[in-house]
Amino acid sequence: QVQPVESGGGLVQPGGSLTLSCVISGRTFSSYAMGWFRQAPGNEREFLAAIQWTGDATYYADSVKGRFTISKDNSKNTVYLQMNSLKPEDTAVYYCNAEAIPYQNVGFGVWGQGTQVTVSS
């Protein structure tokens, strides 16, 4: 079973940057994409970005397009989320999912523990 482990979160000032990592252990399913999501207190989990397991096609939610970049290193079974120009409203727990459908707020794979990102001065 695919098990993601997220890391890289922390406290950052508005306008700052962070890079999140997600290491995927277990089998990967090429029919799905690898996705990043976030969930803020009181809100539902929302889709942020996805990248296909095969090929390099990427997808972004409008809320992060131009600020966040998703990438992967297949040799390390790792997917990254580079986050720039962070805003206080980006504060949330960030999750990855190995069986995501671009633009959908669902992931069919196992959810990791998430990593907290707090944007505050």
Side-chain angles (χ1 to χ4, degrees), residues 20 100 118:
L20 306 183
T118 302

Side-chain angles (χ1 to χ4, degrees), residues 3 8 18 21 33 40 42 47 53 62 70 75 78 83 88 93 96 98 105:
Q3 178 66 53
L18 279 176
S21 300
F47 167 83
W53 280 113
D62 288 342
I70 190 170
S75 67
T78 301
M83 306 186 295
V93 179
C96 59
N105 291 336

Side-chain angles (χ1 to χ4, degrees), residues 70-88:
I70 190 170
S71 61
K72 63 180 180 176
D73 185 335
N74 286 340
S75 67
K76 297 180 180 179
N77 282 346
T78 301
V79 179
Y80 305 95
L81 187 68
Q82 171 69 43
M83 306 186 295
N84 298 325
S85 303
L86 284 163
K87 307 174 183 180

Side-chain angles (χ1 to χ4, degrees), residues 94-114:
Y94 284 67
Y95 300 89
C96 59
N97 194 290
E99 298 178 53
I101 298 176
Y103 309 119
Q104 302 298 312
N105 291 336
V106 294
F108 295 101
V110 175
W111 293 100
Q113 294 296 312

